[in-house]
């Protein structure tokens, strides 16, 4: 199924609305999900609505939540999302941090107990487009961990993403480094499983610890595991994210008893810096442009594959998908249609 992004946005908005969300909340969540699809991150796109509806049914996702401000010193705050839509509360938390950084130069927010915050790059983009540097560390507490540590064959982490965003210039878009500390996001395994496609080599082990490209090992018992990216490097970053966004923020961690029926819980530590407090704006922007030009001047290893910087693959994907539509695999589309039928949503209206 290839569907225009406007139609997909309308469907997502209606599903979230029928779940009980206010129009403002439904708009933020739906736009966030479809933007993830447009950016090429289908793992964090509209396919997540299946899990969201499940968690609404279970009562583990709460609509229309106002976060509890646990503490606020002006430069450091801690918020409890109270299991509200992460796309809404995380955006509010980063916007608070941007405002505080403008006033004080730097701000830190610890976000606890958010339902799935989605594509973390969204919050980095918000910071960067406000002229700020954004650093975001996320942990995931939702059932049995599916990511193995370095040299391990049993899950000890979830995907625990990291995002670093640097402002753009008049000639370059913001630099957006946004990645899971696992070799692939678990959502990408779901997308491959639904599409009946193999995973890339080096991403999965089966339950016996043997390398495999079969995504079904993550959906059968005994379950396999996803490997960390870069061996000890990804494993080390996953541990750091777990501690920064879990233990230090005070949000549930992977060691907390979180049965699958609890739903998806994210913690996030955000650090927002006003770079104007560190150097002059003109010199900073000139150096950003110079560094990007230097990196991209490297001779490509494959002439058909130009050198890219962080954020460019998403820009390329969005341009292509805006023009040609978003491809949704048959299994995911069938799941969305089942939800639409349950909520009596007509796609042609």
């Amino acid at each position: 199924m290839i569907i225009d992004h406007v139609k997909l946005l309308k469907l997502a908005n209606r599903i979230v609305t029928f779940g009980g969300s206010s129009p403002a909340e439904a708009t933020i969540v739906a736009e966030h999900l479809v933007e993830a699809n447009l950016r090429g991150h289908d793992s964090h796109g509209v396919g997540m609505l299946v899990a969201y509806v499940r968690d609404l049914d279970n009562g583990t996702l709460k609509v229309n939540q106002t976060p509890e401000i646990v503490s606020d010193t002006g430069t450091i705050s801690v918020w409890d999302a109270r299991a509200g839509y992460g796309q809404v509360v995380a955006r509010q938390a980063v916007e608070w941090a941007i405002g505080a950084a403008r006033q004080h130069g730097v701000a830190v927010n610890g976000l606890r107990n958010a339902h799935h915050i989605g594509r973390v790059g969204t919050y980095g983009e918000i910071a960067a487009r406000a002229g700020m540097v954004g650093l975001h560390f996320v942990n995931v507490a939702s059932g049995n961990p599916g990511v193995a540590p370095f040299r391990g064959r049993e899950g000890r982490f979830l995907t625990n993403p990291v995002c670093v965003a640097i402002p753009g210039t008049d000639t370059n878009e913001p630099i957006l480094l946004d990645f899971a500390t696992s070799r692939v996001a678990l959502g990408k395994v779901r997308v491959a499983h639904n599409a009946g496609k193999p995973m890339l080599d080096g991403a999965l082990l089966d339950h016996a610890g043997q390398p495999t490209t079969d995504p079904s090992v993550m959906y059968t018992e005994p379950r396999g595991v996803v490997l960390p990216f870069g061996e000890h490097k990804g494993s080390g970053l996953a541990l750091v994210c777990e501690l920064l966004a879990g233990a230090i923020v005070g949000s549930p961690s992977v060691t907390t008893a979180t049965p699958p029926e609890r739903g998806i819980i994210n913690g996030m530590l955000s650090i927002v810096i006003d770079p104007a407090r560190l150097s002059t704006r003109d010199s900073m922007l000139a150096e950003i442009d110079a560094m990007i030009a230097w990196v991209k001047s490297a001779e490509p290893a494959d002439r058909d594959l130009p050198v890219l910087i962080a954020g460019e693959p998403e820009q390329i994907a969005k341009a292509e998908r805006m023009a040609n539509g978003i491809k949704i695999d048959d299994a995911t589309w069938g799941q969305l249609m089942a939800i639409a039928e349950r909520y009596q949503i007509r796609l042609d209206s």
Side-chain angles (χ1 to χ4, degrees):
M1 167 66 68
I2 296 177
I3 184 167
D4 179 76
H5 69 280
V6 175
K7 293 181 179 180
L8 194 60
L9 180 61
K10 184 181 292 187
L11 172 62
N13 192 301
R14 289 179 177 178
I15 289 175
V16 178
T17 298
F18 273 86
S21 290
S22 68
E25 180 168 273
T27 296
I28 291 172
V29 174
E31 288 181 348
H32 183 115
L33 293 173
V34 174
E35 183 69 13
N37 286 114
L38 284 171
R39 295 283 187 169
H41 295 288
D42 297 320
S43 55
H44 291 66
V46 295
M48 289 303 305
L49 287 167
V50 178
Y52 295 177
V53 169
R54 177 203 66 203
D55 290 349
L56 285 168
D57 290 343
N58 292 341
T60 55
L61 167 57
K62 311 289 187 181
V63 300
N64 305 319
Q65 290 297 299
T66 299
E68 174 191 353
I69 309 302
V70 178
S71 64
D72 185 346
T73 68
T75 56
I76 300 177
S77 69
V78 178
W79 293 18
D80 191 313
R82 304 194 298 187
Y85 269 111
Q87 290 92 342
V88 176
V89 183
R91 176 183 291 264
Q92 294 170 346
V94 170
E95 288 172 346
W96 171 88
I98 291 168
R102 283 203 178 103
Q103 183 175 358
H104 302 289
V106 63
V108 179
N109 175 266
L111 181 63
R112 302 174 179 172
N113 296 311
H115 193 267
H116 188 233
I117 66 173
R119 175 177 163 259
V120 184
T122 294
Y123 313 113
E125 287 175 348
I126 292 171
R129 294 195 185 284
M132 301 289 171
V133 172
L135 299 92
H136 310 277
F137 304 89
V138 179
N139 84 326
V140 189
S142 53
N144 295 326
V147 179
F150 178 52
R151 295 182 175 174
R153 53 177 278 193
E154 294 181 305
R156 289 297 181 267
F157 305 116
L158 282 108
T159 51
N160 292 7
V162 175
C163 175
V164 180
I166 295 173
T169 69
D170 289 341
T171 55
N172 285 294
E173 290 291 315
I175 297 170
L176 185 69
L177 182 66
D178 174 26
F179 59 88
T181 50
S182 53
R183 180 68 176 83
V184 292
L186 288 174
K188 293 188 186 297
V189 182
R190 169 179 53 81
V191 170
H193 178 67
N194 285 347
K197 295 181 178 179
M199 288 300 301
L200 72 167
D201 287 330
L204 302 175
L205 299 180
D206 65 19
H207 72 277
Q210 297 302 307
T212 181
T213 60
D214 181 3
S216 70
V217 300
M218 298 301 296
Y219 299 92
T220 55
E221 295 294 340
R223 196 165 72 143
V225 291
V226 179
L227 292 171
F229 89 88
E231 300 180 331
H232 61 286
K233 298 176 183 178
S235 184
L237 268 176
L239 176 60
V240 167
C241 285
E242 191 63 50
L243 296 175
L244 288 175
I248 289 174
V249 165
S251 197
S253 76
V254 75
T255 61
T256 309
T258 52
E261 59 269 20
R262 179 172 178 175
I264 306 167
I265 298 294
N266 285 149
M268 180 167 73
L269 178 69
S270 296
I271 303 167
V272 174
I273 302 166
D274 181 357
R277 306 295 186 101
L278 300 172
S279 65
T280 66
R281 175 177 170 80
D282 287 347
S283 65
M284 174 189 73
L285 296 180
E287 182 58 27
I288 289 172
D289 281 337
M291 190 66 209
I292 291 173
W294 169 247
V295 171
K296 292 177 70 65
S297 70
E299 187 71 21
D302 183 335
R303 292 187 180 277
D304 293 329
L305 298 173
V307 174
L308 300 178
I309 61 167
E312 279 193 297
E314 288 84 357
Q315 296 164 27
I316 293 168
K318 184 172 182 178
E320 191 278 328
R321 292 183 174 201
M322 288 279 286
N324 300 317
I326 296 169
K327 185 176 181 180
I328 307 292
D329 65 83
D330 291 342
T332 299
W333 187 249
Q335 292 167 336
L336 293 174
M337 289 302 93
I339 295 170
E341 182 177 359
R342 171 184 167 184
Y343 288 157
Q344 299 182 341
I345 297 171
R346 294 181 56 188
L347 298 185
D348 57 352
S349 62

